[in-house]
Amino acid sequence: MGTTQLESVPEPKYWHLKTVIGEALDSDFAVGEILPNERDLAARFGVARATLRQALEQLELEGRLQRRRGVGTTVAPPRMGVDVSTTQHSWPGSAQDAWQSVDCATAVPPAAVARLLETGAEEETHILRRLRVSHGQQVAAELLYVPASTVPELSAIDAPSGPARSRAVLRELQRLDLDGQDRAVELGSARADDAKELDRLPGSPVLLVTTRYVSEGRTAAVSVATYRADTCRLTFGDSGDVEISHDQERRAS
Amino acid sequence: MGTTQLESVPEPKYWHLKTVIGEALDSDFAVGEILPNERDLAARFGVARATLRQALEQLELEGRLQRRRGVGTTVAPPRMGVDVSTTQHSWPGSAQDAWQSVDCATAVPPAAVARLLETGAEEETHILRRLRVSHGQQVAAELLYVPASTVPELSAIDAPSGPARSRAVLRELQRLDLDGQDRAVELGSARADDAKELDRLPGSPVLLVTTRYVSEGRTAAVSVATYRADTCRLTFGDSGDVEISHDQERRAS
DNA sequence: GAGTGGTCTAGACCACACG
DNA sequence: GTGTGGTCTAGACCACTCA
């Protein structure tokens, strides 16, 4: 007696919590507003703090919350659309491509990159560090790998260090014919240095955009860009004529 | 005395664990091999199980591990490249587009989709459910929204139910001129029904691909596709002539 | 039934931001 | 200093898979 359908599907608490809080965000909070702290929230919902955190983590993953140590949890603005379309068919550094060079070094690339470059694993490669700012926010950090053999004109001596050297490498790239590029997007977690640039904790989820630049039948350069997954929506506008503001709004009342 | 540089940067344990295990995966494990269970691993590293799990979660996020309840933790194969390029400029359902229709219903779309469709919030819409299989794996689940006004020829009576109706809707779409499409990729967490189709737990990280199909200056259809983030790398081949196998390998010895 | 990963608890301490 | 989120512990029980 009494076994009549008591929760035939025991939904995890954190899942239910996430739903409840998510709905509350839609109806009771405005963007930027700060939530009660985790201990209060946990007490209010009658769960352990760890459980409450599991729910908050999911909401943060979905870009609905923003948490900062020492500060608090705030309602995140809707994700910004960041254009990563390849229709431009141009080298990095050409025109104004939204990226800002900050550094340049010369070293042997990691194995995974060397594989993409189809060079010997030991080939010296220019490694440019670039940052992308969009809507006043740091949204991505990039490592651009340009094998020395791609830009033979660039000797080690005539190039200064740092950003100036970056510009020299990019300038050399423009002289080549770009046959095409292909791109891949996957989920990753932020390396320590990227996390620092993006003002996130190491390990936070990021969107990894890998681009292969092809010139004269070979891979002339490879870019690995790390985008903040919480604040960015990558857009691949392909409609040419049709151009629409991608800033969709999430209401607050 | 003795305060000489004691761990000036207290790296979190789980972060260090992740690194150690990650390196072990590269050197000591083959794809598909099963790891010791979490309790053993935690004991071996001298940490609490929760801490060990935090490390495993990150490795799973990066697609290096696969965990299944009741079974164990195994070394994941490298992510498969899944083509999501828009260069084909064709409607869904045309040719063989890798998608398989499983169902069709007619209802009012959720608000977020209605906004994209630029229809009234109350407009009846055909909602197709499709699945994508790649390399013998279920990789994505899609909801395709086609407003009734897009396919006026399709009356409610002449269309049967389920997959047959899906085909009817897709057939009507082919008759329209496709002006273009644009696409966006963002991080999400799997809804309960998607999780079931993809054989994942609800809330697992997924890549959300939103496509807007434009015809005669208006949004004729919207697709929201949910890709498994752990096993998929979305590729946007744009190089046309150059075609390369994207199945990069991660070695095991 | 035995063994696995998934959920949950009730604490504790730490790193960080801000006044 | 105070309050926040981040890390960590040592347990417990549950849901699932498989022999």
Side-chain angles (χ1 to χ4, degrees):
Chain A
M1 68 301 261
T3 58
T4 57
Q5 280 285 77
L6 57 153
E7 299 151 29
S8 56
V9 182
E11 195 178 53
K13 278 192 188 177
Y14 77 90
W15 184 261
H16 183 239
L17 261 186
K18 181 194 134 182
T19 309
V20 171
I21 299 177
E23 287 169 357
L25 291 184
D26 287 337
S27 60
D28 300 340
F29 287 88
V31 167
E33 197 169 342
I34 63 179
L35 271 61
N37 71 54
E38 296 182 348
R39 290 159 180 88
D40 284 355
L41 278 177
R44 184 175 312 189
F45 287 109
V47 299
R49 189 175 157 219
T51 306
L52 186 268
R53 277 180 61 82
Q54 215 172 335
L56 295 188
E57 261 151 39
Q58 286 236 358
L59 288 168
E60 191 178 31
L61 193 80
E62 295 174 22
R64 307 198 50 184
L65 287 182
Q66 194 162 352
R67 299 192 288 173
R68 271 172 306 173
R69 166 153 49 180
V71 180
T73 303
T74 60
V75 180
R79 285 186 174 135
M80 63 184 86
V82 181
D83 184 31
V84 291
S85 61
T86 58
T87 47
Q88 44 208 0
H89 271 273
S90 61
W91 290 104
S94 60
Q96 63 284 40
D97 66 349
W99 291 92
Q100 178 188 358
S101 294
V102 295
D103 203 2
C104 180
T106 300
V108 173
V113 174
R115 218 176 295 130
L116 272 178
L117 284 169
E118 299 162 331
T119 65
E122 302 301 330
E123 171 156 358
E124 284 285 310
T125 299
H126 303 287
I127 306 181
L128 278 69
R129 181 75 167 161
R130 301 196 303 165
L131 298 177
R132 176 165 184 174
V133 176
S134 181
H135 303 83
Q137 282 249 337
Q138 197 83 250
V139 294
E142 180 203 43
L143 286 177
L144 178 63
Y145 299 90
V146 183
S149 58
T150 296
V151 286
E153 306 293 326
L154 196 74
S155 79
I157 48 169
D158 71 322
S161 63
R165 175 162 195 138
S166 295
R167 282 189 292 275
V169 173
L170 293 175
R171 201 181 326 114
E172 285 300 312
L173 272 184
Q174 313 295 329
R175 303 159 52 125
L176 301 175
D177 287 328
L178 179 61
D179 296 339
Q181 47 185 308
D182 48 45
R183 202 153 277 192
V185 178
E186 62 189 315
L187 181 58
S189 51
R191 302 201 328 277
D193 54 346
D194 291 326
K196 194 173 179 184
E197 299 281 13
L198 301 177
D199 190 30
R200 300 256 59 198
L201 288 179
S204 14
V206 292
L207 295 172
L208 236 50
V209 181
T210 308
T211 310
R212 225 166 43 90
Y213 295 92
V214 179
S215 177
E216 295 171 7
R218 60 185 281 272
T219 304
V222 162
S223 150
V224 179
T226 298
Y227 285 82
R228 286 183 62 150
D230 55 342
T231 56
C232 295
R233 203 175 72 255
L234 308 183
T235 64
F236 294 79
D238 189 40
S239 33
D241 45 333
V242 192
E243 205 41 73
I244 294 231
S245 159
H246 273 288
D247 295 61
Q248 67 181 175
E249 75 296 341
R250 190 185 302 128
R251 257 202 30 275
S253 63
Chain B
M1 68 298 268
T3 59
T4 59
Q5 279 286 76
L6 57 152
E7 299 152 28
S8 56
V9 183
E11 195 178 51
K13 278 191 187 177
Y14 77 90
W15 184 261
H16 182 240
L17 261 185
K18 181 195 135 180
T19 309
V20 171
I21 298 178
E23 286 168 359
L25 291 183
D26 287 336
S27 61
D28 301 340
F29 287 88
V31 167
E33 197 169 341
I34 63 177
L35 271 63
N37 70 55
E38 297 183 349
R39 290 160 180 88
D40 284 355
L41 279 177
R44 184 176 311 189
F45 289 108
V47 299
R49 191 177 157 217
T51 306
L52 185 270
R53 277 180 60 81
Q54 215 173 336
L56 295 188
E57 260 151 41
Q58 286 234 359
L59 289 168
E60 191 179 30
L61 193 79
E62 294 174 24
R64 307 199 48 184
L65 287 181
Q66 193 162 351
R67 301 191 289 173
R68 272 173 305 173
R69 165 153 51 179
V71 180
T73 302
T74 60
V75 180
R79 286 189 174 133
M80 63 183 87
V82 180
D83 184 30
V84 289
S85 61
T86 58
T87 46
Q88 45 210 358
H89 270 274
S90 61
W91 290 105
S94 61
Q96 63 283 41
D97 65 350
W99 292 92
Q100 178 188 357
S101 294
V102 295
D103 202 3
C104 180
T106 299
V108 173
V113 173
R115 218 176 296 131
L116 272 178
L117 284 169
E118 300 162 330
T119 64
E122 302 300 331
E123 171 157 357
E124 284 286 311
T125 299
H126 303 287
I127 306 180
L128 279 70
R129 180 73 167 165
R130 300 196 304 166
L131 298 176
R132 177 166 184 173
V133 177
S134 180
H135 303 81
Q137 282 249 338
Q138 197 85 249
V139 294
E142 180 203 43
L143 286 176
L144 178 63
Y145 299 90
V146 183
S149 57
T150 295
V151 286
E153 306 293 325
L154 196 74
S155 79
I157 48 170
D158 71 321
S161 63
R165 174 161 195 140
S166 295
R167 282 190 292 275
V169 173
L170 293 175
R171 200 180 327 114
E172 286 300 312
L173 272 184
Q174 312 296 330
R175 302 159 51 127
L176 301 174
D177 288 328
L178 180 60
D179 296 338
Q181 48 186 305
D182 48 47
R183 203 153 277 194
V185 179
E186 62 188 316
L187 181 57
S189 52
R191 302 201 327 276
D193 53 348
D194 291 326
K196 193 174 180 183
E197 300 280 13
L198 301 177
D199 190 29
R200 301 255 60 199
L201 288 178
S204 11
V206 292
L207 295 173
L208 235 49
V209 181
T210 308
T211 310
R212 224 165 44 89
Y213 295 92
V214 179
S215 177
E216 295 171 7
R218 61 185 282 271
T219 305
V222 162
S223 151
V224 179
T226 299
Y227 285 81
R228 286 183 62 149
D230 56 343
T231 57
C232 293
R233 203 175 72 255
L234 308 183
T235 64
F236 295 79
D238 189 42
S239 34
D241 45 334
V242 192
E243 204 43 72
I244 295 230
S245 159
H246 274 287
D247 294 61
Q248 67 182 174
E249 76 294 340
R250 189 185 303 130
R251 257 201 34 271
S253 62

